[in-house]
Amino acid sequence: MSYRRTIKLVCGFAGGSAVLVVAAAAAESRGYFGDTQGARSGQWSRFNILQAAQPATWSTGNHTVQSTGHAWDFNWDKRDPSPLFTNGKKKENSSEDPSSEQENGKPKATRNILFIRHSQYNLSGNGDHERILTPLGREQAEFTGQRLAALGLKYDIMVYSTMARATETANIISKYLPGVALVSCDLLREGAPIEPVPPVNHWKPDAVQYHEDGARIEAAFRRYIHRADPKQKEDSYEIIVCHANVIRYFVCRALQFPPEGWLRMGLNNGSITWLTVRPSGRVALRTLGDSGFMPPDKLTRT
């Protein structure tokens, strides 16, 4: 292979592919491809190496990932006003003007829900009342409160789990958000939402715990994750301080991903996960477990 042809091939590929092309040219110049079977054999050997150097999308085979075929359910929260009407006709208990009723029943505002995972806590505590934040955990909550304040958003409410580590995290954060109402909720307590797939060996709740916790956490999802009420005129920003299992399950459910995949994600202590629910029923994940506002030596995941 001539020097000119080698340069053209190198310029035609990028990154590691170029390295393989140069190696192929060097091997050919030393006779490593072999000429005993004629020029045709050498050409095919070079072709195979060059083809292997190409990204999969460049090869002749079909490497396109196929769609699962699952359409987005726009009425996932049962708050889409359109099912009140059938073939453009109002139901019997509807008003005289179906079009105006449907328009008035449409949500108009966007809900922004910011989930905060509690800060690091004392894992060796006996019972929830002793599983309070560590000194580092309290420091993490300070960083999270500062970050939420720096975002400059008009927060409407902060709801928090009644478990000690979440309550303490919320109280520290609230110092940076004066005027934001604090509301506790037992539904947001940590638990086992659904048996994860694939299973893990280090954590195996029994069937009863999945049955009880799963129903409670699903009830929390239905209470807090939905599109805005039609009467809401402005976009809202709500904070929910709770736990990793709860947040991960909520994310899967809201994005209509398989909920059993919740354990495939990880969240740092004090991290921020931001979901947006549009009036149309569309849901977007703006951040997942954002903790970049903390110094690296302050990051934990316990």
Side-chain angles (χ1 to χ4, degrees):
M1 180 182 292
S2 68
Y3 175 78
R4 181 175 297 177
R5 289 183 62 198
T6 301
I7 292 298
K8 286 184 178 180
L9 282 171
V10 170
C11 292
F13 296 89
S17 300
V19 175
L20 286 176
V21 172
V22 172
E28 181 197 23
S29 67
R30 290 169 173 76
Y32 293 155
F33 287 141
D35 296 326
T36 58
Q37 297 181 12
R40 184 186 179 101
S41 174
Q43 292 172 355
W44 276 108
S45 299
R46 293 191 293 273
F47 174 78
N48 291 339
I49 287 184
L50 296 181
Q51 187 181 44
Q54 300 176 13
T57 53
W58 294 357
S59 61
T60 57
N62 181 12
H63 295 276
T64 303
V65 177
Q66 298 298 317
S67 170
T68 61
H70 297 302
W72 180 263
D73 177 12
F74 281 92
N75 197 27
W76 57 275
D77 60 352
K78 310 306 178 189
R79 294 172 185 249
D80 184 353
S82 58
L84 293 173
F85 305 87
T86 304
N87 297 324
K89 298 180 180 180
K90 67 183 181 68
K91 289 186 175 181
E92 293 181 358
N93 59 353
S94 298
S95 67
E96 293 298 326
D97 186 354
S99 60
S100 63
E101 180 183 3
Q102 187 174 11
E103 187 63 30
N104 292 334
K106 286 183 178 180
K108 301 172 182 61
T110 295
R111 293 185 67 216
N112 294 275
I113 308 168
L114 289 80
F115 298 97
I116 312 299
R117 190 195 173 193
H118 61 77
S119 301
Q120 186 190 63
Y121 68 103
N122 176 26
L123 288 168
S124 60
N126 294 319
D128 180 60
H129 68 285
E130 292 186 6
R131 293 176 181 172
I132 58 176
L133 299 186
T134 64
L136 174 57
R138 290 190 287 274
E139 193 174 356
Q140 290 170 339
E142 300 278 352
F143 282 119
T144 304
Q146 293 170 13
R147 174 58 176 169
L148 291 171
L151 290 175
L153 303 174
K154 183 181 178 182
Y155 301 106
D156 298 274
I157 193 172
M158 185 190 305
V159 185
Y160 60 92
S161 159
T162 53
M163 298 188 82
R165 54 189 183 270
T167 300
E168 189 174 359
T169 300
N171 286 331
I172 294 174
I173 291 174
S174 68
K175 296 188 306 180
Y176 297 91
L177 304 174
V180 177
L182 283 168
V183 178
S184 64
C185 180
D186 284 332
L187 294 178
L188 294 169
R189 295 172 70 88
E190 184 64 303
I194 187 174
E195 189 170 359
V197 177
V200 293
N201 295 323
H202 63 277
W203 186 72
K204 291 187 175 182
D206 57 30
V208 173
Q209 184 175 357
Y210 281 124
H211 179 71
E212 294 178 349
D213 290 352
R216 171 178 56 79
I217 296 173
E218 173 63 21
F221 173 82
R222 297 187 184 194
R223 172 178 290 187
Y224 295 110
I225 315 302
H226 54 77
R227 74 192 80 190
D229 187 273
K231 297 178 181 179
Q232 180 176 324
K233 304 301 181 183
E234 298 181 354
D235 295 350
S236 59
Y237 296 87
E238 305 155 48
I239 301 171
I240 297 180
V241 182
C242 56
H243 309 270
N245 295 0
V246 177
I247 296 171
R248 291 179 288 184
Y249 176 79
F250 282 6
V251 168
C252 287
R253 284 281 285 110
L255 297 179
Q256 300 187 22
F257 292 162
E260 62 271 17
W262 64 270
L263 198 51
R264 303 171 198 173
M265 297 177 279
L267 300 175
N268 287 339
N269 295 113
S271 62
I272 301 174
T273 296
W274 186 339
L275 275 177
T276 297
V277 184
R278 302 291 183 188
S280 64
R282 293 181 182 273
V283 180
L285 180 63
R286 297 190 60 171
T287 63
L288 176 66
D290 175 26
S291 54
F293 49 86
M294 294 188 195
D297 60 340
K298 304 299 182 180
L299 299 176
T300 60
R301 189 183 297 175
T302 58

